Amino acid sequence: MKILLTGANGYIGTRLLPVLLENGHDVICMVRDPRRFALESDFGNKVQIITGDLLISESLKSIPNDIEAAYYLVHSMSGSGEDFADLELKSAQNFVQQIQKTACKQIIYLTGIANDDELSKHLTSRLAVEEELKSSGISYTILRAAIIIGSGSASFEIIRDLAEKLPVMVAPKWVKTRCQPIAIRDVLAYLSGVLKNEKAYNEVFDIGGPDILTYKQMLLQYSESRGLKRWIITVPVLTPKLSSLWLNLVTAVPYSLARSLVDSMKNEVICKNDNIQKAVPKECLTYKEALNLAFEKIEQNSIVSSWKDALNRGYLETSFMDQVKVPQNGTVEYKVKMPFERKAEEVFENIWGIGGSRGWYYLDWLWSLRGFLDKMFGGVGTRRGRTSNVSLQAGDVLDFWRVLLADKTNKRLLLYAEMKVPGEAWLEFKIIQYHGKSYLSQIATFRPHGLWGRMYWYAMFPFHLVLFKGMAKQITTYKPK
C-alpha cells in the first residue's frame, strides 16, 4: 500500500517506519523539516519525504492524492499555553480537509486511554482530535494506549530516573493511580496489524499489556528488576504544581512536560475491554518483559528513538534548524584554537562522544550546577543526556543542547542551546588544518536579548575563560579507557 506517515521523525513514527517497509509498503513521510529526518540508505526508494506543517493548511497540498492509508501520529505533551487545545484541533481539521481530497481509505490514530468522566487537559485535547478524525467520512481506527514502556519512552525514563536515584521517595497520591502499561513492541504490532484490516475499520480500541499496576507498583517492580531496594511514602499534601516541580528536579523531563504528565496521572488508564483481540489477536509482553527488553536496547546502544528528541516546546513550534547558520551580527564570541599532534580522527571521536555519560571533559561539576540552575528556572537541565553514546545526528538532544549539525566527513559539530538564557547560544567544534598543523577550533557564540543578555554574557565570561579553554585541552588529549 501507499501510506502517509505523519510524525515520521517522532518517537513512534521513527520505529513504525521500518516495520511498514519490512511489510512491503511504500511510505510517504511528512515532516516539517526534512533536515531533521535521518533516511537510512537501505530504505531505498520506498520512502518519499514531503514537507508539511499541520498548522498551515497550504503546506499540506504536497500530500499525494493516491495514498491509501494515513497514520496520524502527531501530538505533544509539552504544550502548555491556553490555546494549546485549539492548535491541536486546528491541526486535525487541516489534516482532515486535505486527506478528504485523496484516495485514502483508512486513518489510523494513536492516542491515550480516555475512559474517565473528568479528563486532564491533554487527554481532553486528544479526545477532540479523535472526534475530528472520525468526522472525516473516511474509515478510522483509533488505538488508545496506556503508558508506553520502551527504551527512550518518556514513561520508562521517568520510572528509571526515580527508581535509580532515590532510595526513599516521598511521593504524591497519584502514585496509587492504576494503569495498564504496554510495551512499545506491542504498540507497533497493533499499529501495523490494523492497517487495511477491515475488522478494525471505524473502531476505537483500548490497548494495554496484561498487567494492571499502580505507578507505585511499577516503580517497585523496576527497582526489583535492577536489584535495588526502594521505599515509597505517599503523602496527600503534594499539589499538582509541587509534584511537577519535584519531577522536574529529579528526572530529565522539563517542567511543562512534567505538569502535563502529573495532570494526566489523576486518570486511570485501564482498558475497558479486549476488543482489539478480534482484529489483531496477540499476546502482549508483561511489564517486566517490557522493562527487560528496554534494558537490552540500552545496553546495546541501539535506542532507535527517544522522547528527548522531540522539540523542547512540542510539535507546535519548529524552525530551530534555521539556526544552523550561526549569525555574525549582534553577537559576542569566545574562541579557542587548540593545537594538537594526534590524529585528527582521534580528536574528533572525542568531540563525537561529548556529553551524556562521558560528560564535558572539564569541570563537569560546573556543567551539572548550570544544569541544576536551569531546572530550577523551568529549563531542561542536563539530565536528558543523549539518545545514543555512539552516534549523533541533526535534531538529537545533547544534555541541554540540540544538535544542529553533525558532520563526520568535515569534522564539525554544531550545537544550539535549549537552556534558559537571555538570548541565543551556539557551541561549535571543528578540526581545522592551518600551515600544516592540526587545531581544534571551539567557538561559543551568544546573541544577547537586550541589556540583560549582555550583562549575563559578561558575568559568565570569567567562567567561560577557564571552562572552554580547559575543555578544549582535554578534548585534544583525552584517551577513552
Side-chain angles (χ1 to χ4, degrees), residues 134-326:
K134 287 180 182 178
S135 71
S136 67
I138 300 169
S139 295
Y140 60 82
T141 303
I142 312 295
L143 297 178
R144 294 177 173 179
I147 70 170
I148 297 173
I149 301 297
S151 57
S153 78
S155 301
F156 172 79
E157 294 295 341
I158 289 172
I159 292 169
R160 182 185 180 192
D161 275 348
L162 292 174
E164 298 278 359
K165 295 174 182 176
L166 300 176
V168 179
M169 285 175 253
V170 178
K173 60 184 179 181
W174 52 253
V175 296
K176 294 182 179 180
T177 304
R178 298 187 305 160
C179 59
Q180 198 165 344
I182 183 170
I184 179 62
R185 178 175 293 185
D186 293 322
V187 174
L188 298 176
Y190 284 134
L191 282 169
S192 61
V194 298
L195 179 64
K196 203 180 178 182
N197 183 339
E198 292 187 2
K199 293 180 180 179
Y201 284 4
N202 300 317
E203 295 286 351
V204 178
F205 298 113
D206 288 350
I207 59 173
D211 301 313
I212 297 177
L213 304 166
T214 65
Y215 291 104
K216 180 177 180 178
Q217 288 172 323
M218 285 194 292
L219 284 164
L220 291 175
Q221 286 194 23
Y222 177 98
S223 303
E224 181 184 344
S225 68
R226 301 296 283 172
L228 303 170
K229 189 68 175 176
R230 296 293 184 257
W231 291 268
I232 301 176
I233 303 167
T234 58
V235 294
V237 295
L238 285 178
T239 64
K241 185 173 183 178
L242 286 174
S243 297
S244 304
L245 289 170
W246 175 67
L247 273 183
N248 176 50
L249 289 174
V250 176
T251 72
V253 299
Y255 176 76
S256 57
L257 176 55
R259 187 59 191 261
S260 299
L261 289 169
V262 168
D263 287 345
S264 299
M265 283 172 175
K266 69 182 181 183
N267 297 120
E268 285 199 341
V269 281
I270 298 173
C271 300
K272 272 189 173 180
N273 53 58
D274 62 351
N275 290 343
I276 187 63
Q277 293 296 325
K278 299 175 183 177
V280 187
K282 73 179 304 295
E283 186 175 339
C284 290
L285 297 174
T286 66
Y287 174 64
K288 285 190 175 181
E289 288 171 338
L291 288 179
N292 290 334
L293 189 61
F295 295 146
E296 287 179 16
K297 296 296 182 183
I298 293 168
E299 290 167 2
Q300 295 167 3
N301 277 314
S302 57
I303 302 176
V304 178
S305 60
S306 171
W307 71 271
K308 302 170 188 175
D309 295 328
L311 298 187
N312 185 30
R313 296 182 181 272
Y315 88 86
L316 299 175
E317 295 183 24
T318 184
S319 79
F320 83 92
M321 286 295 290
D322 293 339
Q323 310 296 336
V324 73
K325 292 184 179 179
V326 181

Side-chain angles (χ1 to χ4, degrees), residues 14 16 42 51 56 104 124 145 151 165 173 216 224 247 265 276-277 299 303 317 334 358 360 415 430 460 466:
T14 300
L16 181 60
D42 58 355
T51 302
I56 305 172
C104 182
T124 300
S151 57
K165 295 174 182 176
K173 60 184 179 181
K216 180 177 180 178
E224 181 184 344
L247 273 183
M265 283 172 175
I276 187 63
Q277 293 296 325
E299 290 167 2
I303 302 176
E317 295 183 24
Y334 182 78
R358 182 177 289 189
W360 292 82
L415 309 177
K430 62 182 176 180
M460 294 298 294
V466 175

